[in-house]
Amino acid sequence: MHSAPLAATEKRLYLVAMSDSHFDLIVLGGGPAGCSGGLAAAAFGKRVALVETETHIGGAGLNTGTIPSKALRESALVISGWRARKLLGIDLSLSKSATVGDFMRHEIEVRDTIQRQFEHRMSWHGIERMHGRGAFVDPHTVRVTTPDGGQQVLSGDVILIATGSSPAHPPEFPFEHPHVHDSNEILEITELPRKLVVIGAGVIGAEYACTFAALGVEVHLVDGRDVLLPFLDHEVSATIAATMKRAGVQFHWGERVTECAAPECGDVVLTFASGATLAASDVLVAAGRNRNTDDLALDAAGLVAGKRGLIVVNEFYQTTAPHIYAAGDVVGPPALAATGIEQARVAVSHAFGILKKEASTLLPTGIYTIPEASMVGKTEAELKEAGVAFIVGRAAYDLNPRGRLIGDNAGFLKLLFRADDLRLLGVHVVGEQATELIHIGLIAMLCGGDADLFNRACFNYPTLGDLYKHAAYDAIFQHSTGRALKT
């Protein structure tokens, strides 16, 4: 007895599935999330194809954003004297006339090394790299168009969308002008700006404002709001803003750019909604990012993108099509490299049942301003809104021997404990090594730790880690006496 003929689409899918073009997992996007998701699946024996539009893997995290901007920040800390430490290829004798290229030697070495490491790991695990632009043909099929116009059709049991995001380009800014920059292109400038206006006081804008100010550039930061990084603890935000002011950053709060005049010669002139104007040699626009989903033909997979290309997912980063997952910037905030990496691993683990792994509700946020800041858990404002009684334990860098050794007299650690049982609910830190220090609190919270956990712990001396013990002592003393611990 003969079976019924296959429909045209079913026949094509059957033939593709029987070919070398069928994979357990197709990853769209070779940034931190995509690479991590692909490697997690390949490590457990899954056949993986990774599709990336750029020549090099790493995405914005490695090539235009996270790593390059932090490398420039490290150089700025050295050149400005913020941190008396010598970086590879950077000498303290560099003059103020040095170019951005001079400062980026360290970044190039780091970036190239990480790229080689990623390439080696993917090759070792048998991941097949596809250089081109991927788009859905149907829910299980992706067409890859190569730069020379060639095409290859892939089919996959599971598909992970991790195509990242790109800087938004508001229409009032002529980005084709050599002195009007977005956050990807700013690191390609050949000389330091004489005067830089940064539009947008979010994470990217604040980080670059600090870095260029440390390099001696006159910096103006413009934002329609009235507070810096409002999602941070209010004391942390205020400390960063005060330090930026002392470094020379000039804030323009409650302002919105309505016009940007950029002549061939002379300064770029901005006009604000208030009628005020501001001229500068260069403008950096950090006005949000758009997800890179427009070219994916999501409708062919039965998916619909939301505002700015957002893809809606559940707690396992699964879309409305059960075999299609998404991770990283395409799923929205917090849109950090660290969270994207973790999201991709959760997605792949759920798709293949390879690890017992769930999405954590405790995701640290790292802000690489000068000084840097980090947080995990609840803020005071969130606890007050939820009606949760809490106690604040504090420890200052300038009362810590290691803090004194590194010369940080403004940093502090702030721990939020539930009032009745002193369980740790939130960790907030600003100062040198804040993004490293946060992890002690993160692990404590994952374990359901309380103030007594830090009381029992022994920290190396002298270290910034010891701040946790003294912040816990502060909270324990308040809990017992109702008074703050005198230092």
Side-chain angles (χ1 to χ4, degrees), residues 27-44:
V27 180
L28 300 176
C35 287
S36 297
L39 285 167
F44 283 85

Side-chain angles (χ1 to χ4, degrees), residues 278-294:
L278 182 61
S281 63
D282 292 81
V283 172
L284 167 60
V285 182
R289 298 179 69 87
N290 295 322
R291 286 91 187 178
N292 297 330
T293 56
D294 288 348

